[in-house]
Amino acid sequence: MKRREFFREALDESIRAAQKGFLSLQETFTEVNESVQDALEGATPGKGDFFDSYEMSYSLTLAYPREMFEQMARDQGMPYEGVETIEIATELHKRGVI
Amino acid sequence: MKRRNFLKAMGATAAGVGAAATIGAPSKALAAKKADIGECKSLKITVLSETSWFDNDQFKKDIVDNGGASTNQYDIPWDPKNAGGYATLLEIEQLDGTVNKLLLDTGWSNEWMDYVFDRHGIDKMIASKEIDTMVISHWHLDHYWGIESTLKHNDKIKIYGPETMFPEDETLLYGGKNEAKGMVINKNDVPFKGELIKTNPKEFYQLYPGVAIKEFDVPILLRVRGENIIYVNVKDKGIVTVTGCCHPGLLTLYSTARRQIKGGDKIYGCYGGLHISLFENWDPKMDDIIKGAKAFNPQKMGCNHCTGWVWAENAAKAGLPIVKGTDTYKTYPRTSAVAKDTNVFLTNGDTVVF
């Protein structure tokens, strides 16, 4: 193998490795949302707010059946059809219901 | 440009040289503020009871029929036949070989908890002061209303409970009863005479080397607020979180460990309820909880109770290291209506060592 070809192959190999590493890094970042990324980086997740995302608030917003939130919203006279559970929960929290 | 966008861009040039391995590193600025909770050699968990109730449908019906999830838990005439309870024994082996025993929670039904404590010798451990401390994770009925089952063996046991305590909780603790719609829903004939340490979110409360409590002030349904989390730092392994229900959320727990505990950037695992699929309901967003948990690379996950079998099954399939249970739970006089022979998670009578 000529010296020039050797360096070209070595360069191609380096670029392929770099691309693979980049894709791996990109995959890590795209698989989890911002709250998780913040936590992984050692920062306060999201805005530091429990209701920032489902990842932060799942123990309340996902753990209970949707109809329980609808019942609470109905009792408060709040709209709930087509409204995300996390939005209903946030408003209920603002009103001091939960 | 935000830090993560900057990192993404950096990835293009830094890739291939192990850049991904640096993602989880906490900032040095934060490291300076971290609490040193020490280290222990190992942690053994015994699942005394994770069956807080036996019939999900009945529990849900009691809530819905009495005004819904925002109703005060003390205003609901709960079906007494459905009451079980949550309690866990922690055995912490210190680096010098000493073993500390700690009780987490005291269940709901006194009849059930008396059976559970007798079966595992907890009653004798409390009476002999081998167990001299109990942590109340939060003031929910299934973790706290069985207080008499503990106090009858030692009314001076030291208790750590969240500062977000309501008058009805105090009535029960200091010897009293509560009624809902004319029905006695709980009682305690043994007034508490020991020290109650009300925990707040500002501090870490160190119990033993490698073991500390942190309170998180989070909204919880049925008019309860705040939960105590036990952090255990196992030498050469990392942080293990022990929870009653994990109302703050696993992400918050792990992120707090990273930011506030020395050595907390190394997550080893968890034990307890994770409060994900309480009534075995499934939402595609729960896949994101699996992805989020995987990002922290836990090595051992002991879960049960409010985690939900359905989530645990899906998490195990997705590669999370969920510790399987055994058939021991079948030797208890009652089992949960949703218990499965797949033994996908730890249940009554099982043990796990971290």
Side-chain angles (χ1 to χ4, degrees):
Chain A
M1 184 187 287
K2 284 184 181 173
R3 189 163 174 258
R4 184 181 303 139
E5 285 171 357
F6 171 78
F7 279 113
R8 185 179 295 151
E9 280 196 14
L11 182 64
D12 287 349
E13 187 64 31
S14 299
I15 290 170
R16 276 195 296 273
Q19 279 177 330
K20 197 175 169 185
F22 173 63
L23 289 172
S24 164
L25 184 66
Q26 197 177 33
E27 192 180 345
T28 303
F29 273 111
T30 53
E31 273 196 347
V32 294
N33 87 345
E34 286 199 11
S35 297
V36 179
Q37 289 170 21
D38 285 338
L40 284 167
E41 289 173 29
T44 302
K47 300 179 187 73
D49 179 2
F50 183 77
F51 292 104
D52 182 56
S53 66
Y54 280 109
E55 279 82 358
M56 293 290 290
S57 66
Y58 73 83
S59 63
L60 182 71
T61 52
L62 297 182
Y64 297 96
R66 163 85 183 185
E67 62 254 34
M68 285 195 175
F69 289 95
E70 292 185 354
Q71 183 182 20
M72 288 187 278
R74 221 170 16 248
D75 291 347
Q76 288 290 309
M78 285 165 43
Y80 55 87
E81 285 176 351
V83 182
E84 276 287 322
T85 306
I86 195 168
E87 291 171 27
I88 297 173
T90 305
E91 182 58 28
L92 288 167
H93 184 61
K94 278 183 193 163
R95 294 182 182 207
V97 178
I98 55 177
Chain B
M1 183 186 277
K2 287 187 78 173
R3 183 168 177 247
R4 76 173 58 92
N5 293 334
F6 171 75
L7 282 173
K8 277 184 189 173
M10 281 295 288
T13 49
V17 288
T22 67
I23 292 167
S27 72
K28 285 180 184 172
L30 287 165
K33 298 176 188 171
K34 290 181 177 181
D36 186 354
I37 67 168
E39 291 180 319
C40 62
K41 190 174 178 184
S42 67
L43 165 68
K44 179 184 177 186
I45 293 284
T46 301
V47 186
L48 302 175
S49 174
E50 57 89 23
T51 44
S52 283
W53 51 86
F54 300 99
D55 185 337
N56 269 354
D57 292 339
Q58 181 61 50
F59 189 77
K60 193 161 78 174
K61 186 174 185 300
D62 285 343
I63 296 172
V64 173
D65 288 355
N66 289 281
S70 60
T71 306
N72 178 355
Q73 62 177 344
Y74 286 95
D75 290 338
I76 298 177
W78 301 94
D79 179 0
K81 295 190 293 295
N82 198 27
Y86 182 94
T88 299
L89 173 67
L90 289 81
E91 295 174 81
I92 303 112
E93 185 182 4
Q94 296 298 333
L95 299 180
D96 65 2
T98 310
V99 176
N100 301 115
K101 294 185 178 179
L102 177 67
L103 185 61
L104 171 64
D105 291 336
T106 183
W108 176 1
S109 155
N110 286 125
E111 186 184 349
W112 177 255
M113 294 315 298
D114 286 346
Y115 163 76
V116 167
F117 283 180
D118 175 58
R119 175 180 174 132
H120 290 276
I122 301 298
D123 47 1
K124 293 179 184 65
M125 290 180 206
I126 295 171
S128 68
K129 298 186 175 57
E130 199 178 340
I131 295 174
D132 64 1
T133 304
M134 173 169 65
V135 176
I136 298 291
S137 63
H138 60 302
W139 301 107
H140 258 162
L141 65 170
D142 53 320
H143 297 257
Y144 169 61
W145 286 10
I147 184 70
E148 187 186 87
S149 295
T150 293
L151 296 182
K152 70 186 350 175
H153 304 295
N154 179 7
D155 59 6
K156 294 185 181 67
I157 190 170
K158 184 189 280 187
I159 297 177
Y160 289 83
E163 65 177 358
T164 45
M165 197 177 187
F166 282 92
E168 299 98 320
D169 301 320
E170 298 206 13
T171 298
L172 186 64
L173 184 63
Y174 292 105
K177 63 181 180 181
N178 290 287
E179 294 182 16
K181 297 181 179 170
M183 186 181 114
V184 175
I185 51 170
N186 58 32
K187 71 158 189 70
N188 168 27
D189 291 336
V190 186
F192 177 60
K193 294 174 184 163
E195 183 187 5
L196 170 64
I197 294 132
K198 293 184 178 179
T199 53
N200 68 66
K202 294 173 192 161
E203 297 176 46
F204 280 95
Y205 298 82
Q206 183 156 13
L207 304 181
Y208 317 106
V211 182
I213 302 168
K214 173 87 173 168
E215 199 253 334
F216 291 81
D217 186 11
V218 289
I220 302 176
L221 296 183
L222 300 172
R223 203 214 53 179
V224 171
R225 251 184 60 206
E227 180 170 345
N228 278 334
I229 304 302
I230 303 174
Y231 282 101
V232 182
N233 188 15
V234 183
K235 185 177 169 59
D236 299 329
K237 290 183 176 172
I239 295 288
V240 179
T241 54
V242 182
T243 56
C245 276
C246 197
H247 287 286
L250 199 58
L251 175 63
T252 299
L253 266 49
Y254 284 170
S255 119
T256 299
R258 285 194 170 225
R259 285 180 292 115
Q260 297 185 14
I261 299 177
K262 186 180 171 189
D265 50 321
K266 192 175 174 187
I267 300 296
Y268 186 64
C270 65
Y271 169 76
L274 298 180
H275 218 267
I276 301 174
S277 180
L278 191 62
F279 295 112
E280 301 297 330
N281 49 310
W282 180 257
D283 186 307
K285 295 185 195 78
M286 289 174 182
D287 278 327
D288 293 335
I289 313 301
I290 294 172
K291 287 178 190 166
K294 282 179 82 172
F296 284 87
N297 195 28
Q299 301 300 301
K300 198 179 255 192
M301 295 182 76
C303 61
N304 50 31
H305 183 43
C306 52
T307 305
W309 290 81
V310 63
W311 187 85
E313 280 178 343
N314 287 334
K317 278 181 202 161
L320 273 174
I322 308 290
V323 183
K324 292 193 81 166
T326 69
D327 283 337
T328 306
Y329 76 94
K330 293 178 181 173
T331 65
Y332 276 55
R334 295 186 72 184
T335 58
S336 165
V338 292
K340 291 185 181 177
D341 284 333
T342 51
N343 292 339
V344 71
F345 64 37
L346 298 165
T347 184
N348 295 346
D350 287 332
T351 60
V352 60
V353 177
F354 293 94

